[in-house]
Amino acid sequence: MSGLAWRGVVEGFYGEPWSHADRLAWFDRAGALGLDHYLYAPKDDPWHRERWREPYPADRLAELARLGRAAAERGVRFVYSVSPGLDMRFADDADHEALAAKCRQLYDAGIRSFALLFDDVPMEEPELLGRQHGEVAARFERSFLRPAGIHEPVLFCPTDYAGLERTPYRIGLDRTLPRDARVLWTGADIVVGRVTSDDIARAAAAFGRDLVLWDNFPVNDFDRSRVFLGPLTGREAGPGLVGIVANPMVEAAPSRLALHTVAEWAADPSAYEPSAAADRAYRAVAGDDDGDAAGLRTLVDACSAWPPGAPRWPRLDVAVAAERWDDAATLLRGLAETAPSASTPVDLATQLGPWIAAARATGAAGVLACRVLGGSWDGADHADAIEALSAARRLLEAEFADVARAAVLALVDRALERLGVVGTRTHGTGAKVAVLTCPNPAPGDRELVEFLGRSGMRAHLGDDPAADLLIVTRGATEETARVAASRPVPLLAWGHLVPLGLATAAAVPLSLDRIRIAGPDHPAAAGLDGDVVVYRGRSKLTVADPPEDAAVVAHDPESGRSVIGVTPAGSRLADGSIAPAARATFFLAADGFAPWLVTPEARALLLATVRELLG
């Protein structure tokens, strides 16, 4: 089939928006690539979302006007989006007038394309909400777009933007949304590995409108420790799909590697071949195609997996599974030698800096492990090898950026076991703490045991009937959590909060690095107050709606929901049961107590909470 009519990029991620320079640099290449639409939708622009009714201050408006002019000069259409759904009063004429006035301000500044976004807002009474959202779009078209001489179809992002079926929200939306509106849709899920022609047909029928694929690729706001540098894969086109906007990473320059391949796919989906597109993208973006052993190619190879849950580095996995240690060492040596070449663009090298450092540390640790596992360690004795591996492990765990970390940590552990170093299960001499997790504990779980042991406790992975404190991580099963809930010992958790009775609801918002202390006098606050940075980079927080009797020690500054809550023994829990011992929730998420993630303040808060539970 021929290329899609509507092709572009949506700056729609959570976290720090692209800089003015980042956007200009993208416009310089976007038009030539055919990604000639740029949808402005950064979640951290307050006038786009939370303060949508308010006009832009003069300096911010002038910057948007400059961006619009710069985009037009480079053949890119600047599309300004506004997201009023958090608190719009649909029956209030004043809010509709405020929406039109807001966009009229942008129009007067030279912006000529607009979009309405209702993504990521609460959805109660879905059919009614869909009908209301469609009415907003229809009224916006009548009262602003058409009088302003803008005759393109409304570009609209629904609240129910993922999935294939005809839902109550979509039924209501279909009744009121203009018939020629184009609906932004993310696929069968929010982040997907595949989009098929059948998916497109079913979703287009569910909305009754043509679709523009809001492709959450290569976005990394859900895991700020990773970058996604590989090509677009798993995409088909078909009737009903008229366009694509790719949601890039927070790191603008590294995003170009993936976006170049999006442009190739969008220009001719039927002829697209990912590996060839990736090679052309690398040559165009990285600029170090001079044949040197160094460069960024191995780093790109190690960070090319998509979707996010796919195996990280299949070539390394194959070599390790076959115990071809020389082959594995060759791959890892290339990673250890990662370095920008003289011709690598400065912004690319700078923004990839943390991952270049991580690649070098990961590669060096992996090469050492392969030498031990392959029998080629030439150190004087086992003690040398153990010390070298332990030092490499500490260096790897110190990097926030993640380049094949889990695979290489597993290699290092395997090599240490080959040398006779078996991790002891119990540490410390004080209170006994059982860390409940999965059979293959995450690095953060192991670090938690070590940390509590260094703090004087007898901590270990796995259950213990004689434990003085239970910690339920996200890796534990729900059944394990339910059994733990009945135990008459103190309990701390950041997983399974609802089954444990510690919350009526819980969620894991993205791209956050701090919490706000609400009870500075509480012992679990560790003497801290105000906003406290708990992660070394933006990551996930576990937030909860705690029981009424819980003391909220800290909350999420954005949503206001609890992130550290302590419920005393004998208090009523969220499920109506009585706490048989003290209970607490904590803000950690999937990575848990990962050493590359948590700050000293986070460590202090966890230790204070544990000690409060133990009395």
Side-chain angles (χ1 to χ4, degrees):
M1 62 173 290
S2 59
L4 300 179
W6 213 99
R7 314 172 205 168
V9 165
V10 52
E11 188 182 333
F13 48 78
Y14 289 86
E16 184 179 354
W18 282 2
S19 69
H20 189 76
D22 286 334
R23 291 164 181 154
L24 293 179
W26 173 246
F27 297 161
D28 282 340
R29 62 180 67 216
L33 289 173
L35 293 179
D36 54 4
H37 288 73
Y38 165 77
L39 181 55
Y40 178 89
K43 296 293 193 293
D44 281 13
D45 174 353
W47 292 276
H48 154 78
R49 191 169 172 86
E50 287 87 357
R51 298 164 62 181
W52 63 271
R53 294 179 182 84
E54 300 176 26
Y56 275 95
D59 58 339
R60 295 296 299 270
L61 182 64
E63 182 177 280
L64 287 172
R66 288 195 297 273
L67 281 174
R69 289 193 298 270
E73 290 166 1
R74 293 159 175 82
V76 176
R77 179 177 288 274
F78 185 98
V79 183
Y80 176 82
S81 72
V82 60
S83 184
L86 288 174
D87 61 358
M88 188 173 188
R89 299 179 292 264
F90 301 111
D92 189 341
D93 289 345
D95 266 12
H96 290 274
E97 291 164 5
L99 178 62
K102 177 62 168 283
C103 292
R104 194 170 297 113
Q105 184 197 31
L106 276 298
Y107 182 90
D108 291 342
I111 306 301
R112 293 294 181 267
S113 289
F114 296 86
L116 289 177
L117 308 187
F118 287 91
D119 56 319
D120 299 344
V121 299
M123 187 162 59
E124 299 176 1
E125 298 186 67
E127 194 275 338
L128 173 62
L129 189 68
R131 191 167 68 249
Q132 291 171 330
H133 286 175
E135 288 170 349
V136 172
R139 187 162 173 174
F140 183 72
E141 181 183 76
R142 292 193 308 270
S143 64
F144 170 69
L145 291 180
R146 299 302 179 253
I150 300 172
H151 296 287
E152 58 192 27
V154 174
L155 183 64
F156 179 88
C157 184
T159 303
D160 189 3
Y161 54 74
L164 309 178
E165 305 305 326
R166 191 162 172 82
T167 62
Y169 174 91
R170 295 174 183 181
I171 291 170
L173 183 69
D174 186 28
R175 291 173 178 162
T176 54
L177 186 68
R179 300 310 304 175
D180 64 344
R182 290 169 172 170
V183 173
L184 290 159
W185 165 74
T186 63
D189 207 338
I190 299 171
V191 178
V192 296
R194 292 191 58 79
V195 176
T196 69
S197 57
D198 181 63
D199 292 342
I200 294 164
R202 291 172 63 189
F207 284 108
R209 306 293 188 282
D210 284 338
L211 306 174
V212 174
L213 177 64
W214 176 311
D215 203 331
N216 279 316
F217 167 85
V219 69
N220 66 340
D221 59 2
F222 54 84
D223 189 345
R224 294 292 292 111
S225 68
R226 295 180 67 183
V227 285
F228 300 99
L229 307 178
L232 183 69
T233 59
R235 301 296 188 263
E236 297 177 1
L241 185 69
V242 298
I244 181 173
V245 283
N247 196 11
M249 295 185 287
V250 177
E251 292 74 26
S255 296
R256 296 170 200 155
L257 289 158
L259 295 178
H260 270 245
T261 69
V262 172
E264 282 206 26
W265 178 81
D268 191 351
S270 61
Y272 175 74
E273 202 287 306
S275 61
D279 187 64
R280 286 188 285 271
Y282 185 86
R283 292 170 184 269
V285 174
D288 61 5
D289 197 40
D290 52 14
D292 291 345
L296 305 178
R297 280 195 177 272
T298 307
L299 170 61
V300 170
D301 187 39
C303 297
S304 285
W306 191 266
R312 298 284 190 92
W313 197 5
R315 289 208 296 161
L316 179 63
D317 293 344
V318 169
V320 169
E323 298 190 350
R324 298 200 306 266
W325 303 120
D326 288 345
D327 292 346
T330 297
L331 286 172
L332 290 161
R333 194 171 294 110
L335 199 60
E337 294 170 353
T338 297
S341 73
S343 55
T344 302
V346 172
D347 59 350
L348 179 65
T350 300
Q351 293 179 25
L352 275 180
W355 289 273
I356 291 171
R360 296 175 69 87
T362 303
V367 168
L368 282 173
C370 288
R371 287 172 60 194
V372 170
L373 292 167
S376 61
W377 171 256
D378 56 6
D381 54 31
H382 276 18
D384 288 345
I386 290 169
E387 177 55 32
L389 283 169
S390 299
R393 193 183 211 288
R394 288 192 295 272
L395 182 60
L396 175 56
E397 289 186 339
E399 299 288 348
F400 173 73
D402 181 358
V403 180
R405 177 168 28 225
V408 173
L409 282 175
L411 275 180
V412 170
D413 287 346
R414 186 170 173 180
L416 286 169
E417 290 176 4
R418 179 72 59 88
L419 294 171
V421 178
V422 179
T424 56
R425 287 174 53 85
T426 303
H427 304 265
T429 57
K432 296 179 73 173
V433 180
V435 178
L436 307 182
T437 183
C438 59
N440 182 25
D445 299 335
R446 293 194 294 267
E447 173 65 17
L448 177 60
V449 167
E450 297 289 342
F451 171 73
L452 294 175
R454 292 193 299 271
S455 302
M457 301 171 207
R458 290 176 291 166
H460 64 89
L461 294 168
D463 200 1
D464 181 349
D468 300 304
L469 172 71
L470 301 175
I471 296 181
V472 180
T473 73
R474 195 165 290 275
T477 66
E478 185 170 324
E479 178 59 28
T480 296
R482 291 187 185 279
V483 171
S486 65
R487 300 267 289 275
V489 295
L491 182 147
L492 173 66
W494 51 86
H496 307 292
L497 301 187
V498 174
L500 284 167
L502 300 183
T504 55
V508 184
L510 308 177
S511 200
L512 300 169
D513 66 354
R514 66 196 62 215
I515 64 175
R516 182 167 296 158
I517 303 299
D521 296 331
H522 195 284
L528 300 170
D529 196 1
D531 282 8
V532 176
V533 176
V534 293
Y535 294 148
R536 293 174 55 203
R538 288 179 180 262
S539 189
K540 306 178 182 74
L541 283 180
T542 293
V543 301
D545 300 328
E548 290 185 7
D549 293 343
V552 176
V553 179
H555 58 80
D556 166 23
E558 294 191 1
S559 69
R561 299 174 78 181
S562 172
V563 294
I564 302 177
V566 180
T567 303
S571 300
R572 190 170 299 280
L573 295 173
D575 61 3
S577 64
I578 302 299
R583 300 285 189 258
T585 62
F586 206 69
F587 57 78
L588 298 175
D591 284 326
F593 204 65
W596 55 84
L597 181 64
V598 293
T599 63
E601 291 79 7
R603 291 170 178 267
L605 287 164
L606 185 131
L607 186 58
T609 304
V610 166
R611 286 175 170 165
E612 171 67 6
L613 289 172
L614 289 170

